[in-house]
Amino acid sequence: MLINEKQKEFLHLRISEGKSLQTISEELDVPVHILKEWTVTLMEYLEEERINAMDQIAENNQIHAVPHFKYLAVLYTRLKNELDKRDFSGLPTDKLYYIFTHVHEELKQQMMNNEFEDDWDEYDDEDY
């Protein structure tokens, strides 16, 4: 399907700038009912534009899966090392343990999502 310049602008305004159909209608001088039709007929382009915009944001902020996983792993190690120094007698330790547990669960979830071969079941809370 060939799309014209107004449709390309519609895609940009809708996805990249997050504008409403009413605002886009006023900016492009296209009736809202036509924009609704475009939303249906250009669904594939809308999805592609959305994915490209999200990928660009992830790249600009360095939050792709592998760097994010590496960051979580380093954070996990730092928190574990700090937690190992604590005697669990005060509230800051409680908060630290909460963060540590959250990061541990996040790492487990990412390992499962990425199907790494490590077995996290051998690491239960008793080890910490």
Side-chain angles (χ1 to χ4, degrees), residues 22-76:
Q22 185 61 44
T23 302
I24 296 170
S25 173
E26 293 166 5
E27 286 187 29
L28 298 180
D29 195 30
V30 175
V32 171
H33 74 278
I34 297 295
L35 297 179
K36 287 179 181 179
E37 290 175 16
W38 287 0
T39 299
V40 172
T41 59
L42 300 174
M43 186 61 68
E44 183 178 316
Y45 293 100
L46 279 166
E47 184 62 19
E48 182 179 330
E49 182 76 17
R50 184 189 66 78
I51 289 169
N52 289 340
M54 290 178 72
D55 190 53
Q56 187 63 48
I57 291 167
E59 185 174 327
N60 291 345
N61 294 289
Q62 300 178 356
I63 56 174
H64 286 290
V66 172
H68 182 67
F69 181 79
K70 286 179 183 177
Y71 171 77
L72 287 175
V74 170
L75 179 60
Y76 173 83

Side-chain angles (χ1 to χ4, degrees), residues 46-116:
L46 279 166
E47 184 62 19
E48 182 179 330
E49 182 76 17
R50 184 189 66 78
I51 289 169
N52 289 340
M54 290 178 72
D55 190 53
Q56 187 63 48
I57 291 167
E59 185 174 327
N60 291 345
N61 294 289
Q62 300 178 356
I63 56 174
H64 286 290
V66 172
H68 182 67
F69 181 79
K70 286 179 183 177
Y71 171 77
L72 287 175
V74 170
L75 179 60
Y76 173 83
T77 301
R78 289 177 57 207
L79 288 166
K80 182 184 180 310
N81 290 339
E82 183 62 27
L83 187 61
D84 288 344
K85 297 177 191 176
R86 303 291 175 104
D87 66 2
F88 300 99
S89 63
L91 185 60
T93 299
D94 197 39
K95 287 182 180 179
L96 182 63
Y97 188 75
Y98 172 79
I99 294 168
F100 170 75
T101 303
H102 177 74
V103 171
H104 185 255
E105 290 302 316
E106 181 70 21
L107 283 169
K108 283 172 47 176
Q109 186 64 37
Q110 287 209 6
M111 293 292 282
M112 289 172 32
N113 288 345
N114 292 307
E115 299 179 8
F116 291 112

